[in-house]
Amino acid sequence: MIRDDISIPFDVQKIREDFPTLLRSVNGKDLVYFDNGATSQKPQVVIDAINDYYTNNNSNIHRGVHFLSQLATSQYEEARKIIQEYINAPLSEEVLFTKGTTDSINLVASSLGELFSEGDEIIISAMEHHSNIVPWQMLCERKGCILKVIPISESGELKMDEFDRLLSNKTKLVSVTHISNTLGTINPIEEIIKKTHAAGGYVMIDGAQSVQHIPVDVQALDCDFFAFSGHKVFGPTGVGILYGKKEILDQMPPYQGGGDMIAKVTFEKTTYNELPHKFEAGTPNISGGICLGTAISYLSEMDLSAIHAHEMELAAYAEEKLLQFEGMRIVGTAQRKTSVVSFVVDGIHPFDVGTLLDKQGIAVRTGHHCTQPLMDFYQIPGTIRASFAFYNTKEEIDVFIKALERSLNMLR
Amino acid sequence: MTLDEKQQEIIDEFAIYDDWMDKYEYIIELGKELPIISDENKTDDKLIEGCQSRVWLHTDVVDGKMSFTADSDAIITKGIIGLLIRVLNNEDPKEVATAELRFIDEIGLHEHLSPTRSNGLASMVKKLKLSAIAATS
Ligand SMILES: Cc1ncc(COP(=O)(O)O)c(C=O)c1O
């Protein structure tokens, strides 16, 4: 990916000023927001863009000849280009607006899945989010396909030798997460993509946890599909992206029928519009799409390697502090990880810890994180997960550790 | 003591705490103290799966009065169960079926009884009331 080399020095206090939500208090305490894996906070530029769209530019797109419609359409298509450039997609029509990662995966399962037949195999992994499990199970039920699961090691890494064994000429598709939302593991997707292609299958990458943390170049990766959600990358909720290779998208039947996705409708026969519109039936989340463009522009002005270094420093600091507690167990200790720290404490229920941390102004996630099979693997009811973004600080971790200490003392 | 007097008693007990953490300290102590269900009743058919914590509920009618025992794997949930049982146990089925559990709101714990909290408590109260309704007919 080509990026400007004029990297701005990383100043976390300055960055925090961009995010008004971080300044609020919760339960009488300054908010410490460590639930970035669930959703990110929004910078003021995104909030302003939403406001600006509805205040000044609101109109339906792709339909009107009038000024506002043209304006909104060009803003929406401009956003598509910004996102195309960010993930280095070859063509803008390969970048489809969806409702989010879940919707993107369902689109592929429904549409590409139509081309699958009985006995075809789909491979996922043991650390997938429910949204990268259930659509494939539904497809298997519909089409008689077979779902295979790459197992993981205790540290939370894919067992690649097992993957090699599962992969065969029956494999139609491998769909795996780039980064685990529960464990933080960064998966070796380059290797998965190469091997799957060699075996003749397609690869879909769930990028819900990656675009905001590490550079993603879909051409260098050579993945066939890549999905992510706007709300996790500092953009609005209800909008997301599916990147797909044109030659595959062209072969796929439409996902939903309606306005915008058609070339010509008659009661005898309807012909479909070209990409990307073929997969974008109905009035989309126009404001969402435009403002996702704003969020990606914001992100692209930052130095991702500085972000990554800062986030990894936070995670290392948090893990070091956490391990000083008795009975502490970090869940997910892969070699390659992002800034997700999931943990359990002997004899203590995650729900109790989450409740007490909340009362001290700290937002973490507790529970199974929509990865129940993974919890079954570790034989735990859930974890407490702190997931950091670039706007978090070591001082916040200190506050969190103190609050955790107080909570554990109360619960023991 | 009537059902409502029991509620008032709890409200008064909580009135001395102005800090959230103190309230929870008290709830946790309740949770720790109470062995509120016997192991033979802690079976899967008594289990209410919440997304976050799990609750076991056993209901009975003894001498025309409702009798509940319950438990949870999370101690805060268990403490709140203790409060609910204190209010509802040994009451007429009719009283329980129509009880308005105002103390939960008044001591600031309504979030725990919200169906979106997914700790199993909202479903527990529903089941509890259904069992009382069944006992009235
Ligand atoms: C790895 C992963 N995949 C998929 C999703 C689903 O994303 P969304 O709910 O935005 O569709 C999430 C969100 O938690 C996730 O973390």
Side-chain angles (χ1 to χ4, degrees):
Chain A
M1 192 179 338
I2 306 144
R3 285 194 199 285
D4 297 337
D5 253 337
I6 36 154
S7 58
I8 307 148
F10 191 76
D11 179 351
V12 67
Q13 288 309 331
K14 184 128 188 32
I15 286 168
R16 288 178 70 79
E17 290 170 13
D18 293 343
F19 292 83
T21 313
L22 297 179
L23 301 177
R24 67 162 291 168
S25 64
V26 164
N27 291 319
K29 305 277 179 349
D30 287 344
L31 169 68
V32 171
Y33 187 77
F34 286 169
D35 194 17
N36 295 287
T39 200
S40 61
Q41 296 304 336
K42 318 304 170 202
Q44 191 66 50
V45 282
V46 169
I47 300 165
D48 289 346
I50 296 169
N51 195 27
D52 182 52
Y53 172 75
Y54 284 115
T55 308
N56 297 310
N57 307 334
N58 173 55
S59 192
N60 210 333
I61 56 170
H62 299 144
R63 303 179 187 183
V65 292
H66 61 81
F67 176 82
L68 279 186
S69 176
Q70 300 274 329
L71 180 64
T73 303
S74 74
Q75 287 186 331
Y76 193 71
E77 291 309 321
E78 182 55 33
R80 197 190 303 273
K81 289 211 175 73
I82 292 169
I83 295 155
Q84 174 203 350
E85 201 175 302
Y86 195 72
I87 59 172
N88 198 27
L91 304 165
S92 68
E93 66 260 38
E94 295 180 312
V95 176
L96 311 180
F97 281 113
T98 64
K99 290 187 287 184
T101 307
T102 304
D103 191 33
S104 298
I105 297 172
N106 275 282
L107 189 160
V108 175
S110 288
S111 168
L112 183 71
E114 269 308 296
L115 310 175
F116 292 3
S117 32
E118 196 172 332
D120 285 348
E121 295 181 0
I122 297 159
I123 299 177
I124 60 172
S125 89
M127 64 172 85
E128 297 309 317
H129 189 280
H130 293 164
S131 66
N132 198 27
I133 302 174
V134 185
W136 307 117
Q137 289 175 324
M138 288 161 65
L139 171 61
C140 287
E141 229 157 73
R142 189 156 54 94
K143 286 280 178 178
C145 304
I146 298 157
L147 192 65
K148 306 245 160 162
V149 182
I150 314 166
I152 59 168
S153 66
E154 195 61 30
S155 62
E157 286 158 307
L158 297 181
K159 290 190 172 164
M160 291 302 285
D161 51 337
E162 299 275 349
F163 170 64
D164 293 344
R165 266 193 285 277
L166 293 176
L167 193 62
S168 76
N169 59 8
K170 290 197 197 123
T171 309
K172 273 278 151 64
L173 177 87
V174 178
S175 187
V176 289
T177 194
H178 195 176
I179 294 176
S180 158
N181 63 310
T182 306
L183 308 170
T185 311
I186 304 175
N187 285 320
I189 57 168
E190 300 80 359
E191 185 185 339
I192 291 173
I193 293 163
K194 275 208 189 79
K195 286 180 168 168
T196 307
H197 284 166
Y202 297 127
V203 181
M204 164 146 211
I205 301 298
D206 173 350
Q209 297 292 339
S210 68
V211 182
Q212 61 278 45
H213 295 296
I214 55 178
V216 168
D217 179 334
V218 292
Q219 287 189 69
L221 285 172
D222 196 30
C223 55
D224 303 295
F225 300 97
F226 188 95
F228 67 95
S229 297
H231 68 97
K232 293 187 203 272
V233 300
F234 315 102
T237 52
V239 67
I241 295 296
L242 174 66
Y243 158 78
K245 282 183 183 162
K246 180 171 169 15
E247 67 262 29
I248 308 171
L249 292 175
D250 275 336
Q251 294 169 42
M252 287 161 51
Y255 174 39
Q256 292 176 321
D260 250 21
M261 55 76 73
I262 46 87
K264 186 170 171 54
V265 177
T266 66
F267 287 117
E268 289 70 39
K269 173 139 186 76
T270 289
T271 51
Y272 305 126
N273 205 337
E274 303 191 323
L275 290 174
H277 311 295
K278 177 173 131 183
F279 289 106
E280 294 181 351
T283 300
N285 183 347
I286 303 167
S287 154
I290 293 171
C291 301
L292 176 54
T294 312
I296 294 292
S297 292
Y298 175 86
L299 194 55
S300 67
E301 280 164 22
M302 308 199 51
D303 175 353
L304 263 192
S305 62
I307 286 181
H308 188 64
H310 174 70
E311 289 176 346
M312 291 318 290
E313 198 182 327
L314 292 176
Y317 184 68
E319 287 197 5
E320 180 200 318
K321 294 269 169 182
L322 284 172
L323 285 169
Q324 291 170 8
F325 288 102
E326 214 186 291
M328 175 65 63
R329 175 170 153 219
I330 308 278
V331 182
T333 50
Q335 286 288 323
R336 292 179 68 215
K337 264 188 77 168
T338 47
S339 51
V340 171
V341 182
S342 246
F343 61 95
V344 289
V345 187
D346 280 349
I348 306 272
H349 200 287
F351 173 81
D352 290 325
V353 178
T355 301
L356 294 180
L357 287 176
D358 171 55
K359 291 297 168 226
Q360 297 170 87
I362 294 159
V364 294
R365 183 74 148 214
T366 61
H368 53 59
H369 319 292
C370 296
T371 53
Q372 275 177 341
L374 188 58
M375 297 297 102
D376 292 343
F377 170 77
Y378 285 108
Q379 298 189 321
I380 48 180
T383 74
I384 304 150
R385 180 190 71 183
S387 50
F388 308 114
F390 54 69
Y391 45 60
N392 290 126
T393 66
K394 277 191 174 175
E395 291 74 32
E396 287 181 306
I397 292 174
D398 290 336
V399 173
F400 159 64
I401 292 290
K402 238 192 204 132
L404 180 64
E405 186 174 9
R406 183 166 179 202
S407 310
L408 294 180
N409 284 339
M410 283 167 68
L411 292 165
R412 277 195 165 124
Chain B
M1 216 184 288
T2 66
L3 192 151
D4 201 60
E5 281 163 359
K6 285 191 268 180
Q7 297 209 62
Q8 191 56 46
E9 192 180 63
I10 293 173
I11 293 163
D12 294 342
E13 277 169 25
F14 273 79
I16 58 166
Y17 304 120
D18 45 15
D19 183 75
W20 270 111
M21 294 303 274
D22 294 337
K23 270 188 206 174
Y24 275 98
E25 188 105 53
Y26 183 58
I27 293 168
I28 289 163
E29 287 317 312
L30 287 175
K32 281 182 186 166
E33 277 167 18
L34 289 168
I36 33 189
I37 199 166
S38 60
D39 271 348
E40 79 244 26
N41 280 327
K42 214 169 160 177
T43 50
D44 278 356
D45 60 320
K46 307 274 161 77
L47 180 65
I48 300 164
E49 282 281 1
C51 202
Q52 296 255 359
S53 60
R54 305 195 293 171
V55 171
W56 290 265
L57 173 69
H58 173 68
T59 62
D60 212 346
V61 186
V62 180
D63 300 333
K65 304 276 188 193
M66 294 306 298
S67 159
F68 305 106
T69 49
D71 202 352
S72 173
D73 52 355
I75 202 147
I76 292 174
T77 308
K78 196 171 166 184
I80 297 169
I81 289 172
L83 293 172
L84 285 165
I85 287 184
R86 187 169 137 196
V87 170
L88 297 173
N89 236 4
N90 285 320
E91 295 290 341
D92 281 343
K94 228 167 106 197
E95 286 277 322
V96 172
T98 56
E100 207 189 301
L101 297 168
R102 65 184 178 98
F103 80 99
I104 292 289
D105 258 355
E106 292 200 24
I107 63 179
L109 292 179
H110 51 276
E111 66 192 45
H112 285 280
L113 273 250
S114 122
T116 58
R117 186 78 179 183
S118 53
N119 56 7
L121 273 180
S123 319
M124 188 196 100
V125 171
K126 208 187 216 165
K127 280 211 168 167
L128 230 151
K129 292 210 163 189
L130 283 175
S131 73
I133 291 168
T136 54
S137 54

